[in-house]
Amino acid sequence: MSQIPAELKYVASHEWLRLEADGTVTVGITDHAQELLGDIVFVELPQVGKTYAEGEQAGVVESVKAASDVYAPIAGEVVEVNAALEASPELANSDPYGEAWFFKVKPANAAELEGLLSADAYAQEIGA
Amino acid sequence: MTVAIQTTPLNATHREFSAKMVDFAGWDMPIHYGSQLKEHEAVRTDAGMFDVSHMVVLDIEGADAESWLRHLLANDVAKLKEPNKALYSAMLNEQGGVIDDLITYRTAWGFRMVVNAATRDKDLAWMQQQSEGRDVRLTVRDELAMIAVQGPNAIAKALTVLPADWADGVRSLKPFSALPFGDWFVARTGYTGEDGLEIMLPAEQAPAFWKSLAGAGVAPCGLGARDTLRLEAGMNLYGHDMDETVSPLVAGMGWTVAWAPEERDFIGRKALEAEKAAGVAMKQVGLVLEGRGVLREGMTVVTEAGDGVTTSGTFSPTLKCSIAIARVPATTGDSARVDIRGQLVDVRVVKLPFVRNGKRVFE
């Protein structure tokens, strides 16, 4: 059974978002996504300083099984990436909502966060 | 028409062992039991087991069995001088394309053959057609399950749960040989590049045997690890590394084609002889990507002599980098580039296999 923390926001392409106190938004992939991918062996993260549109490809996750794109779930500028995840991609399997965050975005419009999926809506989306 | 998904005698057992199940060629099979990487590692360093009951076991009897097989297969079963020896071979069509790759054992009653699950129907239809007018009887042994126990400690661990009076026989098995024990058939063969056994046994005994092996410390392994293990071992997967449109000479199977004696007229011989006379244009190689990224099946390989293609690719858990099996122009040297989703990435071209008995093989 996939974990879907209630306090996070989600998009249908299986990224999660968390609004931080400093106004940035932390992005990662969901427990459901890592289960689908299996053992993750490489993570390619976006460049700090680059601006992405909502839904634009911002990274890649490669598992033993398949390659999968990671999308920017909200428009904005990438202000930080998780170098520890690049060094230890298996964290995305073991701790998808914690140590395995992918990048932080300064959102172009923080209000867009409100329109994204709640935990319940995401659970429904994946049939959980 | 809807075809119900098929299950092996171990289906319920896999679920008891928390397998993640997938549809493989119409069979409900375990892909892993938690972590494909850990299962791979278990086989390279200790012992793991695979349910391969979906594969097709076929017994061949009749006065013409041997002469028929010498016509049907590109390798020559006459090389099997005594019972219980095994031979790997391609079964070709008249154009020299690979209908399937298979193992044939010489047995007391004639021969036993193991063919792929995904090619079952076309293989059986082809063999029926080719056996017309000959004294050959084919019996599919669907009442048998098959468990592959693989790894450096596989035979030792299997011996702890097999009947004590079989131990001397099993210990005496040379690679690519087998022994029958009543309804059981124990072969020292496999698809991982490690030592081990492939054990055919009555279906109803399979769940208890699987559990006793697990109790002896043999790790249940899914088809995911089976694929990364065979790829590291440089072993072909039918439908990926070769198929009916591909000659064994370009699929790394030239060594399995028995040209001598010259008068042996096997199906596909004329086509292969013509191909050889004209010069074999492509060859099978290994690719190693030392940088980041993962090679996958179907990527274009760019070389100075022209383009090739990856036929299988994965992340190698043993080498900690990506590897692929590829078909490239015959004159390709020791480097090439692969188009990974729009980016040309440098790769090394090496001889297969990548890994044997737990160790990196290539320079």
Side-chain angles (χ1 to χ4, degrees):
Chain A
M1 199 57 222
S2 300
Q3 289 182 27
I4 308 174
E7 67 277 17
L8 303 180
K9 286 288 194 177
Y10 300 86
V11 291
S13 53
H14 310 299
E15 288 85 13
W16 57 260
L17 306 88
R18 184 175 60 226
L19 181 63
E20 307 294 351
D22 63 2
T24 63
V25 173
T26 304
V27 176
I29 66 166
T30 65
D31 190 33
H32 179 69
Q34 71 79 19
E35 272 179 19
L36 289 178
L37 284 163
D39 292 299
I40 291 168
V41 292
F42 285 113
V43 170
E44 207 178 291
L45 297 173
Q47 279 178 341
V48 172
K50 208 176 159 197
T51 299
Y52 291 88
E54 183 195 331
E56 193 179 346
Q57 190 213 326
V60 179
V61 188
E62 296 243 24
S63 71
V64 175
K65 202 160 76 182
S68 183
D69 290 333
V70 177
Y71 301 98
I74 190 167
E77 180 193 340
V78 173
V79 293
E80 195 181 343
V81 297
N82 186 358
L85 176 64
E86 235 167 359
S88 305
E90 67 278 6
L91 290 173
N93 292 119
S94 59
D95 193 10
Y97 298 113
E99 283 189 72
W101 61 275
F102 275 55
F103 54 89
K104 292 186 184 190
V105 178
K106 194 171 130 197
N109 177 6
E112 279 177 12
L113 209 58
E114 289 311 307
L116 303 180
L117 300 175
S118 66
D120 283 348
Y122 179 66
Q124 211 160 25
E125 178 76 30
I126 63 172
Chain B
M1 192 175 85
T2 312
V3 179
I5 191 151
Q6 291 178 283
T7 58
T8 75
L10 289 162
N11 193 272
T13 313
H14 297 317
R15 292 167 191 284
E16 280 176 49
F17 281 80
S18 309
K20 181 168 161 41
M21 306 296 285
V22 294
D23 178 348
F24 174 82
W27 291 80
D28 187 39
M29 298 299 288
I31 184 81
H32 64 70
Y33 301 79
S35 167
Q36 177 176 338
L37 292 178
K38 288 193 181 120
E39 292 163 24
H40 182 106
E41 164 116 5
V43 173
R44 285 278 177 254
T45 61
D46 185 11
M49 60 181 159
F50 305 83
D51 175 14
V52 286
S53 307
H54 58 311
M55 296 189 78
V56 186
V57 180
L58 190 68
D59 284 344
I60 303 161
E61 297 166 278
D64 296 339
E66 177 155 350
S67 61
W68 177 68
L69 285 170
R70 295 190 72 200
H71 174 63
L72 185 76
L73 303 179
N75 210 338
D76 188 356
V77 297
K79 288 184 194 169
L80 302 172
K81 300 280 185 223
E82 48 199 282
N84 306 319
K85 298 280 181 204
L87 185 77
Y88 175 70
S89 182
M91 179 166 72
L92 305 177
N93 56 28
E94 293 289 358
Q95 295 73 42
V98 183
I99 295 175
D100 201 4
D101 66 329
L102 49 88
I103 288 183
T104 307
Y105 302 89
R106 188 185 285 277
T107 60
W109 60 83
F111 297 90
R112 169 166 286 183
M113 192 184 266
V114 180
V115 308
N116 283 302
T119 50
R120 175 187 177 116
D121 292 347
K122 71 162 189 178
D123 285 5
L124 295 177
W126 176 256
M127 286 190 248
Q128 285 295 347
Q129 184 193 327
Q130 294 300 327
S131 66
E132 265 170 44
R134 298 191 188 231
D135 181 7
V136 171
R137 288 186 304 284
L138 306 175
T139 311
V140 180
R141 300 294 305 271
D142 280 338
E143 74 281 16
L144 295 178
M146 179 152 53
I147 297 172
V149 190
Q150 302 278 297
N153 300 327
I155 294 178
K157 287 190 169 178
L159 282 170
T160 67
V161 299
L162 287 168
D165 56 341
W166 298 5
D168 286 345
V170 172
R171 268 196 214 100
S172 74
L173 283 174
K174 294 200 164 58
F176 253 67
S177 64
L179 277 177
F181 296 95
D183 298 339
W184 292 47
F185 191 80
V186 180
R188 193 167 166 197
T189 51
Y191 192 49
T192 61
E194 299 297 327
D195 201 357
L197 303 171
E198 290 181 304
I199 301 170
M200 298 167 218
L201 70 164
E204 65 280 7
Q205 297 179 40
F209 184 56
W210 181 275
K211 286 172 192 170
S212 65
L213 285 168
V218 179
C221 299
L223 294 181
R226 188 167 161 81
D227 191 53
T228 49
L229 288 158
R230 70 90 196 167
L231 221 160
E232 286 186 345
M235 293 171 172
N236 283 356
L237 175 60
Y238 191 82
H240 300 263
D241 302 301
M242 75 298 198
D243 59 33
E244 288 185 28
T245 68
V246 175
S247 145
L249 304 183
V250 301
M253 296 174 74
W255 63 278
T256 71
V257 178
W259 300 98
E262 266 176 51
E263 61 275 17
R264 186 175 70 96
D265 174 31
F266 63 85
I267 299 170
R269 176 167 196 138
K270 284 192 184 65
L272 295 193
E273 280 174 349
E275 184 186 5
K276 216 166 98 168
V280 180
M282 305 288 278
K283 65 176 177 181
Q284 186 183 62
V285 295
L287 303 181
V288 180
L289 172 57
E290 279 160 346
R292 300 171 57 82
V294 182
L295 302 167
R296 311 277 181 191
E297 180 180 347
M299 290 178 172
T300 300
V301 183
V302 178
T303 81
E304 282 169 16
D307 285 358
V309 66
T310 55
T311 53
S312 288
T314 192
F315 174 79
S316 160
T318 305
L319 304 174
K320 311 285 184 229
C321 67
S322 181
I323 55 172
I325 296 176
R327 197 150 57 234
V328 297
T331 56
T332 301
D334 57 9
S335 69
R337 287 181 298 164
V338 177
D339 183 342
I340 302 184
R341 301 180 317 147
Q343 281 188 314
L344 283 178
V345 179
D346 289 326
V347 295
R348 288 182 56 200
V349 178
V350 301
K351 264 184 76 173
L352 295 168
F354 302 101
V355 177
R356 235 345 104 84
N357 296 321
K359 300 265 176 356
R360 172 185 175 130
V361 176
F362 60 93
E363 291 293 306

